[in-house]
Amino acid sequence: MALADTRPPVAVPVADGVHWIGALDPGLRQFDIILRTANGTSYNAYCVRGRDGVAVIDTVKENYADTFFARLESVARYDEIRAIVLNHLEPDHSGALPELMARAPQATLHISARAQATLKGVLRGEEELSRVRITTGEQASVSLGDRQLAFLQTPYLHWPDTQCTWLPDACLLFSGDVFGCHFCDARLFNDRVGDFRFSFDYYYQHIMRPFREHVLNALELIEPLAPALIAPAHGPILREAPCDYVRRYRQLAAPLLHNEAATSEKTLLVFYVSAYGATERMAQALRDGAETVEGVRVSLYDLAGGEVAPFVDLIEEADGLVFGSPTVNGDAVKPVWDLLSSLTLVNVKGKLGAAFGSYGWSGEAVGLIEDRLRGLKLRVPAAGPRARLKPTDEELRACRDFGRDLSLHLTGRIEKRIIDMAALG
Amino acid sequence: MPKANVTFEDIGITVTVPAGTRLIEVSEKVGAGILYGCREGECGTCMTRIVQGAANLAEPSVLEDRVLKDNLAGRDIRLACQAQVLGGEIVVRPA
Ligand code: FES
Ligand SMILES: [Fe+2]
Ligand SMILES: [Fe+2]
């Protein structure tokens, strides 16, 4: 067994006048509750030296502040720090910020406009807040004398506040969570660490994928820069073929399957679970009704026969989603919840949503699913049909009508309704 | 009593309501896709785009104004839990 390393932590050179001053957290197995990691993670922070002073890019999780300060002190004095840049204010990067602001009272803090609200939860003092510079307009760059840092607005990657920082003379991108992953390896650089490719993809799928549109916008800004080195806030520093990782984001952000429906056509997916065939018959009636409307491609899926992940892929591309579930013990059934709880992985905001289902004594499932869909920011235009046990002909007709109405909503051809508030009770 | 027509674009429904009604009271009843958190004009969850008829809503309070500013909301955004209808035609949709 190797002897424990008792030397104080020091900075690691990354490029000319640029050092890594982050911290390693090899024991971490779960991040933000939802993410798993087999290799821990790292909180990467960096120090950039220019003729007239030093910039610090990001900090670390609070309980790693000592390591961060020790590494920083190995390459700079606090009174040399001119600028502190926070690419993203989540606690894993802002944990040592209050203390750093106190130790470097002359330094300005450079954050995006969207970060201001969050910052109030991190820094409380008026004096500190007066040192904030918003990284747009005239303050979209900061000078260290002979070198500049420029800011790229890359919102939602991974929070609304997120930005990237570009060091043009070194062609170096400090990318924050973008191009990061939870993979801890003390060898730091992508050409020296263990194989982290699956961690890179996993991180994209869980953190970036819900914001695909924003990823594409960010790539428009980053690709033309052709970075020679990418220094993310987690995981290996990408110095060998960094543009491969930019290209990988392009691939990951592309739709998985080409949908052969004409671009003018809307797509409606109907998912159902059926115990005794009642919800299934409702699903079929709904599908038949939906198909009577020109310009809508309707697809029907039995959730009992499929895995969640491919359905999530389909949903990402669809215009409308309908979920059919029987009510069992006053609730929708598990396969439906499993799928619904995975929808935070993709952007479903503004899609059309609906529910339906059969029941024995009470039919809560439909309302519960509709509430969940609203919570996911789908538009739920109408309360869905329910049927007790075996659906009657009339109930099946109601399902058909409902399906047709959903298609009319999708194509914008639904007749507008006018009602009086008094009639709503 | 003066009335107003509030249209929820996302679900294609227009509701006739008495003046003084807050958007939240109507949108919840018809199931429009506007979400609510605190319901007290603090969290900004209920930000709603006013597509038409902004002048037919009562002016935002100081509190509402501040929450909208903090959330960098555009000028056509209001808090549905706060905004009161005065009359005429108003068209809204989730922000
Ligand atoms: S619900 Fe919180 S501000 Fe309206
Ligand atoms: Fe983050
Ligand atoms: Fe992070």
Side-chain angles (χ1 to χ4, degrees), chain B:
Chain B
M1 185 184 311
K3 297 265 188 182
N5 284 328
V6 183
T7 300
F8 296 92
E9 257 196 358
D10 62 329
I11 54 171
I13 293 179
T14 302
V15 192
T16 309
V17 304
T21 309
R22 290 183 198 272
L23 289 178
I24 182 173
E25 300 170 53
V26 210
S27 75
E28 288 202 311
K29 283 213 173 106
V30 298
I34 301 169
L35 299 178
Y36 298 94
C38 66
R39 297 162 178 271
E40 290 178 354
E42 284 175 2
C43 69
T45 310
C46 65
M47 290 201 290
T48 299
R49 189 171 309 281
I50 313 300
V51 180
Q52 202 185 302
N56 293 330
L57 294 169
E59 288 285 308
S61 65
V62 179
L63 174 72
E64 182 180 344
D65 238 352
R66 209 192 57 223
V67 172
L68 290 171
K69 278 216 184 73
D70 282 352
N71 284 284
L72 302 172
R75 292 174 54 202
D76 52 349
I77 303 290
R78 292 290 303 267
L79 298 179
C81 73
Q82 298 300 299
Q84 270 182 311
V85 301
L86 299 175
E89 303 287 329
I90 298 143
V91 181
V92 306
R93 62 150 86 197

Side-chain angles (χ1 to χ4, degrees), chain A residues 272-275 303 324-328 331-338 365 369:
Chain A
Y272 68 91
V273 175
S274 199
L303 282 177
S325 172
T327 298
V328 177
D331 199 355
V333 296
K334 186 164 180 296
V336 173
W337 288 127
D338 286 346
I369 295 171

Side-chain angles (χ1 to χ4, degrees), chain A residues 200-413:
Chain A
F200 187 85
D201 280 12
Y202 178 85
Y203 191 86
Y204 175 90
Q205 297 295 2
H206 286 81
I207 300 285
M208 301 298 162
R209 186 177 177 186
F211 308 107
R212 189 168 79 179
E213 294 309 309
H214 296 282
V215 170
L216 294 172
N217 290 339
L219 289 174
E220 292 296 318
L221 297 176
I222 293 168
E223 282 165 344
L225 301 174
L229 197 150
I230 295 176
H234 298 287
I237 298 169
L238 309 171
R239 70 177 176 190
E240 177 68 36
C243 290
D244 284 1
Y245 294 86
V246 179
R247 260 194 299 281
R248 183 65 184 147
Y249 260 44
R250 251 302 158 200
Q251 288 170 349
L252 290 167
L256 289 166
L257 294 168
H258 176 69
N259 186 352
E260 28 318 85
T263 44
S264 59
E265 223 174 353
K266 298 289 180 185
T267 52
L268 182 69
L269 310 181
V270 184
F271 299 98
Y272 68 91
V273 175
S274 199
Y276 299 105
T279 302
E280 179 168 38
R281 290 184 63 202
M282 297 175 76
Q284 289 161 347
L286 192 152
R287 187 233 359 238
D288 294 346
E291 278 183 340
T292 60
V293 176
E294 191 82 21
V296 180
R297 185 194 201 189
V298 190
S299 316
L300 189 63
Y301 305 96
D302 183 346
L303 282 177
E307 302 280 331
V308 166
F311 288 144
V312 173
D313 294 343
L314 286 176
I315 286 170
E316 187 172 29
E317 302 284 308
D319 299 300
L321 319 170
V322 194
F323 297 88
S325 172
T327 298
V328 177
N329 294 331
D331 199 355
V333 296
K334 186 164 180 296
V336 173
W337 288 127
D338 286 346
L339 181 53
L340 287 172
S341 68
S342 296
L343 295 190
T344 49
L345 292 175
V346 291
N347 180 11
V348 290
K349 188 177 170 195
K351 293 187 197 289
L352 181 85
F356 64 95
S358 65
Y359 64 97
W361 0 86
S362 59
E364 294 93 335
V366 174
L368 290 170
I369 295 171
E370 288 167 349
D371 283 345
R372 175 70 183 142
L373 293 176
R374 278 190 207 99
L376 288 163
K377 303 204 172 164
L378 282 87
R379 55 196 173 100
V380 182
R386 307 183 305 168
R388 187 187 279 264
L389 298 173
K390 272 211 178 94
T392 62
D393 286 348
E394 192 158 326
E395 285 166 330
L396 288 175
R397 203 169 312 123
C399 291
R400 257 192 303 278
D401 290 350
F402 186 69
R404 186 206 51 220
D405 283 357
L406 291 178
S407 281
L408 290 173
H409 271 290
L410 267 184
T411 53
R413 278 180 268 158

